[in-house]
Amino acid sequence: MAKAKTVYSCTECGAQFPKWTGQCQECGDWNTLQEEVAPQKVAAATNPKAARFEGFAPKADVQKLQTVSVKGTPRFGSGLAELDRVLGGGLVPGSVILLGGDPGIGKSTLILQSLALLSDKNNTLYVTGEESAEQIALRAQRLGVQDADVSLLADNQLESILDVAVQYKPDVLVVDSIQTLYTDTLQSAPGSVAQVRETASRLVRFGKQTKTIVILVGHVTKEGALAGPRVLEHMVDTVLYFEGEQNSTFRLIRAIKNRFGAVNEIGVFAMTDTGLKEVSNPSAMFIKRTQEDATGSVVLVSQEGTRPLLVEVQSLVDQSSLANPRRVTVGLDNQRLAMLLAVVNRHAGYSLHDQDVFVNVIGGVKVHEPAADLAILLSVLSSYKNRRLDSDLAVFGEVGLTGEIRPVQRGLDRIREVEKLGFRRLIMPKGNQSGVKSKKLEIIAVNTLEQAVRIAFDQ
Ligand code: TYD
Ligand code: MG
């Protein structure tokens, strides 16, 4: 027998190479090439299972753009308002959604809760390749949804799953997870890039042709043990990431790509003993401070999609014993912190070159917008100077390299949120002020970092 050909596939971008290299030539990522058996299609004639599903394709007709009838995108709610918000208003028939996230973050829990709510009115099919039906039933008991009308299928062979789906005609088909699926038409192991790509593309085709909502669950692992779902992102309509710190109860769901709605919208959940609970007013949760007026703590007015979010930023600045003092961030961009510390040195006169600086965003939130700059700096300085900031003070604003405070997006929404949560003072960029008045809130608009520092620390 001829030796099976091997190829090396990149787990990040899916590119294939005949030889192993440390870096993927296509996407530039390191250590992502995995050896696999070269994908050899078994001829359709010799594999009746493979041939069967080519049958449901309707004839492709050429249409004029003007004649395509658009009835508006019908959507139906997923049962969870926070999930609907991220989806852009609800599930769209025929759309394919990829739900990614670290193992154990709560993907299966979210899916089961949503399916239980959906099953009232819709036909749902939950395909589980990872867990047995008993395990799902146990989880359902824990979630209190054991009586929901959800159909389960414990299988991981694509052809037989599609067989069942064609007969069963679900409105919503969930596959948990895509990495456990395999098709007989390929020889490589489940979870390999080739299998993941092929099974996903067949499911996408099935969804489009039968107007079924297909939700694919995918794992992301740093070690690359399973093919990352990154290769799938191009194929699907919507990519959602479920994130959060393992030891925090908060879970954020974020749209990375959405053909039917805005991206960067977030939904917030809290993981409890009885499943995920929606958090409709996240700001109030993230800034539940245990210690009033601690040094190094500042409330930042951040923005996620269309939603302002108040989060607490904490810093610790401490004398360093290292030649290169540490700059450690959690939930923030490390490079940005280094840049901000340089700005503070030049334009506010505080040199932190011999100090370790640690900055953390509480609650496992990730803030990646420049509007966080001013809050980060005030928090760092509060720790450095050992001076508390008022607990009823909130801050937002971008800091430029020349020490100016630059306006940010959606200033008004942020101001309203601060007002709503009962803060008394807000330090913000002058450029965002434009005639905004508030009775309850003292708005302090600043132009420069120096001015902001002076006001914050009453100098
Ligand atoms: P799970 O949905 O299985 O994660 P994933 O499918 O993303 O791998 O969730 C696993 C974690 O959630 C597990 O550590 C236990 C926890 N959990 C709760 O805290 N409360 C609950 O009600 C449930 C069902 C799970
Ligand atoms: Mg799971």
Side-chain angles (χ1 to χ4, degrees):
M1 208 176 109
K3 194 168 165 268
K5 260 200 186 151
T6 56
V7 289
Y8 295 87
S9 304
C10 173
T11 53
E12 287 299 313
C13 68
Q16 293 186 330
F17 305 94
K19 279 217 169 72
W20 189 86
T21 47
Q23 186 181 24
C24 171
Q25 313 270 306
E26 196 66 36
C27 66
D29 262 7
W30 290 91
N31 229 352
T32 52
L33 295 198
Q34 243 182 25
E35 182 177 3
E36 27 183 80
V37 181
Q40 255 177 3
K41 287 247 171 183
V42 181
T46 59
N47 186 337
K49 269 189 178 161
R52 203 176 326 151
F53 291 97
E54 313 307 338
F56 63 75
K59 270 232 170 65
D61 288 323
V62 177
Q63 283 178 308
K64 286 282 185 214
L65 179 60
Q66 309 93 302
T67 63
V68 180
S69 73
V70 190
K71 295 185 201 82
T73 332
R75 290 171 187 268
F76 54 91
S78 64
L80 296 166
E82 291 293 302
L83 183 57
D84 287 346
R85 168 202 289 279
V86 180
L87 288 168
L91 297 155
V92 179
S95 67
V96 182
I97 298 158
L98 173 66
L99 176 64
D102 293 331
I105 203 81
K107 299 179 296 294
S108 306
T109 309
L110 178 75
I111 290 292
L112 188 57
Q113 279 184 267
S114 173
L115 283 187
L117 292 163
L118 272 169
S119 64
D120 275 353
K121 295 198 192 105
N122 303 286
N123 210 356
T124 55
L125 180 60
Y126 186 175
V127 179
T128 161
E130 277 181 10
E131 294 165 293
S132 65
E134 290 80 43
Q135 281 172 308
I136 305 280
L138 271 175
R139 180 178 292 132
Q141 251 173 24
R142 186 168 175 189
L143 300 173
V145 296
Q146 65 273 32
D147 300 325
D149 189 21
V150 178
S151 308
L152 294 178
L153 172 67
D155 199 348
N156 39 25
Q157 206 243 355
L158 179 77
E159 282 76 16
S160 72
I161 291 169
L162 283 175
D163 247 348
V164 173
V166 166
Q167 281 167 22
Y168 193 77
K169 297 192 179 62
D171 300 311
V172 185
L173 170 69
V174 174
V175 176
D176 187 0
S177 68
I178 187 71
Q179 275 95 2
T180 55
L181 249 51
Y182 69 93
T183 161
D184 280 346
T185 56
L186 294 178
Q187 290 173 343
S188 43
S192 64
V193 178
Q195 285 284 8
V196 168
R197 204 177 356 186
E198 176 67 15
T199 50
S201 81
R202 301 263 291 277
L203 285 164
V204 169
R205 216 171 342 151
F206 169 80
K208 299 281 166 216
Q209 287 169 353
T210 57
K211 290 260 174 293
T212 309
I213 295 166
V214 178
I215 303 179
L216 308 176
V217 176
H219 294 300
V220 200
T221 61
K222 288 206 179 70
E223 297 75 31
L226 291 172
R230 294 269 299 275
V231 289
L232 306 176
E233 289 179 4
H234 310 288
M235 296 181 196
V236 300
D237 298 306
T238 305
V239 180
L240 303 180
Y241 270 84
F242 205 37
E243 50 191 54
E245 302 286 318
Q246 287 283 355
N247 43 15
S248 149
T249 53
F250 292 111
R251 299 285 183 269
L252 301 183
I253 185 160
R254 193 187 292 274
I256 303 295
K257 161 181 175 180
N258 195 351
R259 287 185 184 148
F260 304 107
V263 288
N264 283 333
E265 203 56 85
I266 61 161
V268 185
F269 293 90
M271 180 63 96
T272 68
D273 285 349
T274 49
L276 292 158
K277 295 275 176 298
E278 296 181 76
V279 179
S280 51
N281 186 2
S283 291
M285 311 252 347
F286 286 121
I287 53 167
K288 242 191 223 154
R289 295 203 265 182
T290 44
Q291 207 182 338
E292 291 280 304
D293 293 2
T295 61
S297 154
V298 171
V299 172
L300 156 71
V301 194
S302 166
Q303 180 87 33
E304 290 282 356
T306 59
R307 176 185 237 187
L309 187 68
L310 269 67
V311 288
E312 183 186 346
V313 179
Q314 286 187 350
S315 298
L316 179 67
V317 179
D318 194 22
Q319 187 73 37
S320 179
S321 55
L322 302 170
N324 278 326
R326 280 188 285 183
R327 275 85 181 86
V328 181
T329 56
V330 181
L332 293 165
D333 182 2
N334 215 306
Q335 297 292 327
R336 189 114 195 144
L337 175 65
M339 188 190 92
L340 290 172
L341 293 180
V343 175
V344 100
N345 183 25
R346 278 296 295 273
H347 299 289
Y350 294 98
S351 165
L352 305 176
H353 70 273
D354 55 352
Q355 306 281 327
D356 285 331
V357 180
F358 305 92
V359 188
N360 178 22
V361 183
I362 301 298
V365 190
K366 291 193 178 66
V367 182
H368 285 300
E369 54 161 6
D373 293 353
L374 186 55
I376 296 171
L377 281 187
L378 290 182
S379 146
V380 167
L381 288 180
S382 160
S383 174
Y384 179 63
K385 291 157 73 79
N386 204 14
R387 290 273 310 270
R388 303 171 175 181
L389 289 165
D390 292 345
S391 62
D392 55 7
L393 172 76
V395 180
F396 72 87
E398 177 177 350
V399 177
L401 288 181
T402 60
E404 84 275 23
I405 305 295
R406 303 168 60 88
V408 300
Q409 286 184 336
R410 294 182 178 267
L412 194 59
D413 291 350
R414 297 183 206 243
I415 298 172
R416 295 286 166 252
E417 182 79 0
V418 174
E419 223 173 15
K420 199 171 86 192
L421 283 149
F423 283 80
R424 295 266 174 68
R425 295 168 80 206
L426 172 66
I427 300 184
M428 56 170 268
K430 198 154 228 151
N432 277 116
Q433 199 184 14
S434 65
V436 186
K437 291 226 167 52
S438 168
K439 276 191 206 122
K440 290 177 262 166
L441 184 68
E442 184 194 347
I443 296 178
I444 307 160
V446 291
N447 261 332
T448 63
L449 176 62
E450 197 232 321
Q451 212 182 344
V453 171
R454 200 159 13 90
I455 291 166
F457 299 103
D458 288 326
Q459 287 170 340

